[in-house]
Amino acid sequence: MEGQKTVNFTRLLSDESVQSTLSSDSCEYYQTEIFDLLPSVQAVRSQQDSYDALKSSEAFRSGGPRPDEAFSAESQSRGPRDKLSLQPLRGLAICMQGKRSARERRKMQISNIGFWESWRRSQSIKRKRVWAHMREAGASLLPWKHTLHKIQGRFGVGVKSYFVFLRYLIYLNLLHCALISGFILGPTGFYGKNSREWLRFGGNDSVLDFLVGTGLLARSPVFFGFYTRGSLDRDCLNTPLLYLAGILSIIFLSLIMVVRRTIVGYKHTWMLEKRTSMNVSFKVFCGWDYTIQHSKSAELKQSFIRNDLKLFLEERKFNLKKAQRTLGQKLRLYLLRFILNLIVVFLLGGAFTLIYYSTNVSLKESNQVWILRLILQYLSPITITSVDLVLPQIFRKISSFEDYSLTVQVNATLVRSIFLKLASLGIYLFFLFKTTSVENRMCRENQIGIQMYKLCIFNFLTTFCNTFLVNYPRKLLQEKRPTCLLVRLCGRQRFLIPFKVLDLVYIQTVFWVGVYYCPLLPMIGVVSLLVIFYIQKFGVLRCCEAEQRMFRASNSSVLFHFMLLLGLVMAAAAPIVDFHLAEGTNTISCGPLKNETVLTVTETCVKSLPDSVQNVLKYLSSQAFALPLLLAEIIILTSYVSRGRANRKAIERLKDMLIMCSSDKRFLVKQHATLLRGPKNPNRVRPAAAEQKRPLHGAP
């Protein structure tokens, strides 16, 4: 240990860095002989001496007070700047003795400050205490808290994150329902014309209409064609503008919430993965989950940590193997990857072609039996769901031949699967917009809304059938016939977190895309997501077993929220593409924008406003406003970049402090070993102190 290289650290000079919030009594208590010999204390003391000398010389030249007077004034004014004095004692991460000392210091500070400052501090502490109690009460009111705790205890945090994400989507759709009720349903209910005549049960209506979205359901408030202008027909307060305001508020509010969760998740992921997750000591000493309640779960968590270390060593081994590849091996590998990527492109092209033909067949009229007619009506959702189930498994097999590391294989499979789901939905919408643009039989917007409704219903039916008709019988067969050949070939059922979350991202994207054509789709989504929550709960607790291999990407929600953000962007772009494709066609318009467009409705409202407001709106939409807006964006981005650099400097300083603490520990261990080897003489430390102080203070 003595032969190790000495590391020098330099701290930034500022009032916060060189001045301590501790009182002089506490400093005298801790300044023992061993404490003076610590490397961190000596480094700080040298910086403190140089800073005090510089400050005293400047004060002497400017005619200020003497250094001892300045020090006494600083020690008196140091108390009010104590940031910890504004926090409740319960929230301080210190021992009981430290809390008692903090209470005494606060009493001394109260005696030195005025009445107003004392009252302000007490009120601040009370407010923080009230907010803490309110947060605890709000956390206790969250639904399914016991269920999530039970799932976490048996399967770990990864499976729990899926159900937390599902609960977040339920909250998001409930907020959408509130916006739709305020902007669309409320004005239509008060000012609508002949609303009840649309809901009469006709002779051609049947229960089958609730599955295919025709008949009674097509005339109900579920779809776009139900809403008309009604008696609310002012220039800037009418049903079309309220309808558009409701849809835009849903899009913008969802954008804010999803971007916020993505940024927060990215920050946490960056701090954990970039700083600690690649550290083996973090995996060994900080990787345990203390919420585990079962012995099998404890053994499973041990296997998780063991497999994570194996995965880390495998990646290191793969990196060494990758560095030793020759030029010929690299060329053969790149050629193989190129061929496999061509296969992936051909599979995607075939899937899109199949979706196109199924869309054309499902939109045609047929006089078949009702069961065949129902299958033809659901041909497009069946095709999309089948493609989304089969191709990701093929992608996973293809990625295993590309000679990537395990983490890159999983990420490549996820990216391809996400692209498949969103691209298949986008291609389906594009073909649907082009196909329905020449249909003259019924309302075009209702047709598109019916297709979105079918996608939601079929996704729910797929989840139900997969759990109760596939997974549950498979689990019963494993329990009754464990030695059966079919059971051994199928293996045990696992809860695949990434693919389950991708299904949620897909269905939420369908909700966002269809909310313009089917305004009550978020309400249908809330009901379906609630039922899916309990179906998945039954499936994971009764049918599934925990994954035996650590999946690192499942713990990161940044990728899933980013894909949710892409789905939101596609949902916002879908009506714009629809308007562009439907422009100039001979279609029958319906709903609040009958025989009108968005531009004509907004232009009528703008023309009815006062001249001053019109001038302001024209300036905001002109190029003259672009330059101030660009400058404001530059200033905001510059401030955030500066804050990020300051945070990185703070992180580096904290790293230096950790290294200093480790050097202090090594020094104390060395002194302890010296005392154990030598005679028990209390005066033995003093020569060492003199030797340590000589190079510090002997320099000129």
Side-chain angles (χ1 to χ4, degrees):
M1 296 178 63
E2 299 183 14
Q4 295 180 353
K5 185 178 179 180
T6 304
V7 182
N8 296 324
F9 302 95
T10 304
R11 297 187 61 183
L12 299 177
L13 296 179
S14 61
D15 291 339
E16 287 89 345
S17 61
V18 298
Q19 295 176 359
S20 174
T21 56
L22 298 176
S23 61
S24 58
D25 296 334
S26 59
C27 291
E28 291 176 1
Y29 177 78
Y30 287 109
Q31 285 178 355
T32 58
E33 295 179 353
I34 295 296
F35 183 77
D36 292 335
L37 299 178
L38 294 177
S40 60
V41 175
Q42 294 178 5
V44 172
R45 184 172 297 165
S46 61
Q47 299 290 339
Q48 178 81 30
D49 294 339
S50 61
Y51 181 75
D52 289 342
L54 179 63
K55 189 174 181 181
S56 60
S57 61
E58 291 179 355
F60 180 75
R61 286 194 301 266
S62 61
R66 292 180 302 175
D68 53 352
E69 295 178 357
F71 178 78
S72 61
E74 290 176 0
S75 62
Q76 291 177 1
S77 62
R78 190 177 299 146
R81 293 200 302 265
D82 189 4
K83 297 180 180 180
L84 298 179
S85 61
L86 299 179
Q87 298 182 6
L89 291 176
R90 290 181 56 187
L92 297 179
I94 55 178
C95 60
M96 293 301 297
Q97 183 64 32
K99 291 182 179 181
R100 295 190 185 97
S101 302
R103 186 186 296 114
E104 295 298 330
R105 288 198 302 271
R106 289 182 182 183
K107 290 180 180 179
M108 295 176 62
Q109 291 174 1
I110 291 174
S111 61
N112 294 330
I113 62 178
F115 173 77
W116 173 254
E117 184 68 20
S118 175
W119 180 83
R120 189 182 65 81
R121 290 191 179 188
S122 62
Q123 294 300 317
S124 176
I125 292 174
K126 289 180 181 179
R127 283 196 302 269
K128 291 183 179 180
R129 192 172 299 166
V130 169
W131 280 111
H133 288 310
M134 290 178 63
R135 284 194 295 267
E136 292 177 0
S140 63
L141 294 177
L142 290 176
W144 307 302
K145 186 176 181 180
H146 177 71
T147 300
L148 295 178
H149 184 70
K150 182 179 180 181
I151 292 173
Q152 182 180 1
R154 288 186 56 182
F155 296 92
V157 184
V159 179
K160 178 192 172 183
S161 63
Y162 166 80
F163 290 92
V164 172
F165 184 68
L166 179 56
R167 184 177 63 181
Y168 167 73
L169 294 182
I170 293 174
Y171 290 160
L172 187 62
N173 286 279
L174 282 175
L175 185 59
H176 295 170
C177 293
L179 293 175
I180 290 173
S181 300
F183 283 96
I184 301 175
L185 294 181
T188 304
F190 282 108
Y191 300 100
K193 293 181 179 180
N194 300 325
S195 298
R196 296 181 181 179
E197 295 181 359
W198 294 81
L199 301 178
R200 291 179 181 177
F201 196 81
N204 296 327
D205 299 334
S206 63
V207 182
L208 193 63
D209 295 335
F210 291 94
L211 290 178
V212 296
T214 58
L216 175 66
L217 200 63
R219 302 190 303 269
S220 65
V222 176
F223 295 107
F224 181 86
F226 175 82
Y227 304 94
T228 57
R229 275 185 174 268
S231 60
L232 186 63
D233 195 7
R234 300 179 182 178
D235 292 333
C236 287
L237 186 60
N238 48 51
T239 303
L241 285 179
L242 290 176
Y243 193 93
L244 294 175
I247 302 301
L248 290 177
S249 61
I250 288 175
I251 297 298
F252 281 112
L253 187 61
S254 301
L255 179 65
I256 293 172
M257 296 182 66
V258 174
V259 167
R260 179 183 175 276
R261 287 182 67 94
T262 304
I263 292 174
V264 172
Y266 175 75
K267 181 175 64 176
H268 292 170
T269 303
W270 182 82
M271 293 195 63
L272 289 178
E273 291 188 357
K274 299 296 182 182
R275 298 292 178 179
T276 55
S277 64
M278 298 306 294
N279 192 356
V280 180
S281 62
F282 176 81
K283 298 176 185 295
V284 174
F285 297 106
C286 304
W288 187 254
D289 188 0
Y290 290 94
T291 60
I292 293 177
Q293 300 175 348
H294 301 278
S295 59
K296 293 183 179 180
S297 300
E299 296 177 358
L300 186 61
K301 185 63 179 178
Q302 292 177 357
S303 66
F304 277 173
I305 299 175
R306 182 171 59 251
N307 292 332
D308 195 16
L309 293 175
K310 289 181 180 179
L311 180 61
F312 177 75
L313 295 177
E314 288 177 1
E315 289 181 351
R316 288 295 184 91
K317 183 179 179 181
F318 177 80
N319 292 331
L320 292 176
K321 179 182 176 182
K322 181 180 178 181
Q324 296 175 357
R325 288 174 182 168
T326 61
L327 181 60
Q329 292 177 349
K330 290 181 180 179
L331 292 177
R332 287 194 297 268
L333 182 60
Y334 292 154
L335 180 61
L336 177 62
R337 290 176 181 176
F338 177 75
I339 295 173
L340 293 177
N341 284 312
L342 283 180
I343 295 174
V344 170
V345 172
F346 288 147
L347 289 174
L348 291 175
F352 298 154
T353 305
L354 191 61
I355 291 172
Y356 171 71
Y357 283 111
S358 63
T359 304
N360 289 332
V361 173
S362 63
L363 292 177
K364 293 180 180 179
E365 291 287 344
S366 61
N367 298 322
Q368 303 291 335
V369 189
W370 69 272
I371 185 67
L372 294 178
R373 188 167 65 251
L374 180 63
I375 293 175
L376 290 177
Q377 290 284 339
Y378 273 91
L379 185 60
S380 296
I382 291 173
T383 304
I384 294 175
T385 305
S386 302
V387 166
D388 292 341
L389 287 176
V390 174
L391 287 188
Q393 305 300 327
I394 299 177
F395 292 159
R396 188 170 63 176
K397 294 295 183 181
I398 289 176
S399 62
S400 62
F401 293 101
E402 292 179 328
D403 198 11
Y404 288 120
S405 63
L406 181 61
T407 304
V408 177
Q409 290 179 17
V410 172
N411 292 333
T413 305
L414 284 178
V415 170
R416 289 168 180 170
S417 301
I418 290 168
F419 177 77
L420 171 67
K421 286 181 176 292
L422 296 182
S424 61
L425 181 59
I427 294 296
Y428 173 66
L429 289 173
F430 181 77
F431 293 152
L432 185 63
F433 292 156
K434 292 193 66 175
T435 306
T436 55
S437 62
V438 296
E439 295 290 338
N440 296 322
R441 295 185 303 272
M442 64 180 297
C443 178
R444 179 178 178 277
E445 285 77 10
N446 274 18
Q447 275 191 300
I448 300 174
I450 287 171
Q451 299 301 322
M452 297 297 103
Y453 176 80
K454 289 178 184 178
L455 287 177
C456 298
I457 296 299
F458 190 75
N459 179 81
F460 172 75
L461 294 177
T462 302
T463 304
F464 181 85
C465 295
N466 186 38
T467 301
F468 293 101
L469 300 182
V470 178
N471 294 337
Y472 187 58
R474 177 180 172 182
K475 182 66 176 179
L476 292 179
L477 186 62
Q478 290 176 356
E479 293 176 353
K480 301 296 182 180
R481 303 288 183 180
T483 59
C484 181
L485 179 61
L486 181 61
V487 172
R488 292 200 301 268
L489 290 177
C490 293
R492 298 187 180 275
Q493 180 66 27
R494 308 292 182 187
F495 192 84
L496 301 177
I497 302 171
F499 295 106
K500 296 289 186 181
V501 176
L502 288 181
D503 293 337
L504 293 180
V505 172
Y506 167 75
I507 192 61
Q508 184 60 42
T509 305
V510 173
F511 292 156
W512 280 328
V513 171
V515 70
Y516 176 77
Y517 309 97
C518 184
L520 297 188
L521 198 60
M523 297 183 182
I524 300 172
V526 169
V527 177
S528 63
L529 290 177
L530 280 172
V531 180
I532 286 174
F533 184 91
Y534 289 102
I535 291 175
Q536 297 291 355
K537 172 191 171 183
F538 174 81
V540 71
L541 294 177
R542 182 65 182 85
C543 305
C544 297
E545 294 184 3
E547 189 70 29
Q548 293 291 335
R549 192 168 189 178
M550 175 64 70
F551 176 55
R552 183 176 298 160
S554 64
N555 294 328
S556 176
S557 61
V558 180
L559 180 62
F560 301 125
H561 283 92
F562 181 72
M563 292 301 110
L564 196 64
L565 183 61
L566 290 182
L568 180 60
V569 172
M570 180 171 46
I576 300 175
V577 176
D578 185 20
F579 295 154
H580 178 71
L581 293 177
E583 185 179 1
T585 57
N586 192 16
T587 59
I588 299 177
S589 180
C590 60
L593 295 174
K594 186 175 182 179
N595 300 325
E596 290 181 316
T597 61
V598 178
L599 295 178
T600 58
V601 173
T602 54
E603 186 178 358
T604 303
C605 177
V606 171
K607 288 182 179 179
S608 64
L609 296 174
D611 295 336
S612 59
V613 179
Q614 293 185 26
N615 294 330
V616 171
L617 293 177
K618 288 180 181 179
Y619 174 73
L620 293 178
S621 60
S622 63
Q623 297 180 357
F625 181 70
L627 181 59
L629 182 62
L630 184 61
L631 291 177
E633 292 178 354
I634 291 174
I635 293 173
I636 293 174
L637 291 177
T638 304
S639 64
Y640 276 103
V641 169
S642 302
R643 186 182 301 177
R645 291 177 180 175
N647 291 334
R648 283 194 292 270
K649 288 183 180 179
I651 291 173
E652 296 298 329
R653 176 181 288 184
L654 291 175
K655 282 184 175 181
D656 295 342
M657 292 176 64
L658 289 176
I659 296 175
M660 273 296 186
C661 290
S662 63
S663 63
D664 291 345
K665 292 177 182 178
R666 289 195 298 267
F667 175 77
L668 292 175
V669 170
K670 180 180 177 181
Q671 290 292 332
H672 184 263
T674 304
L675 292 175
L676 289 179
R677 287 196 301 266
K680 296 182 180 180
N681 187 6
N683 297 325
R684 188 178 178 86
V685 181
R686 293 188 177 274
E691 293 177 0
Q692 294 288 339
K693 292 181 180 179
R694 186 176 298 113
L696 290 176
H697 300 284

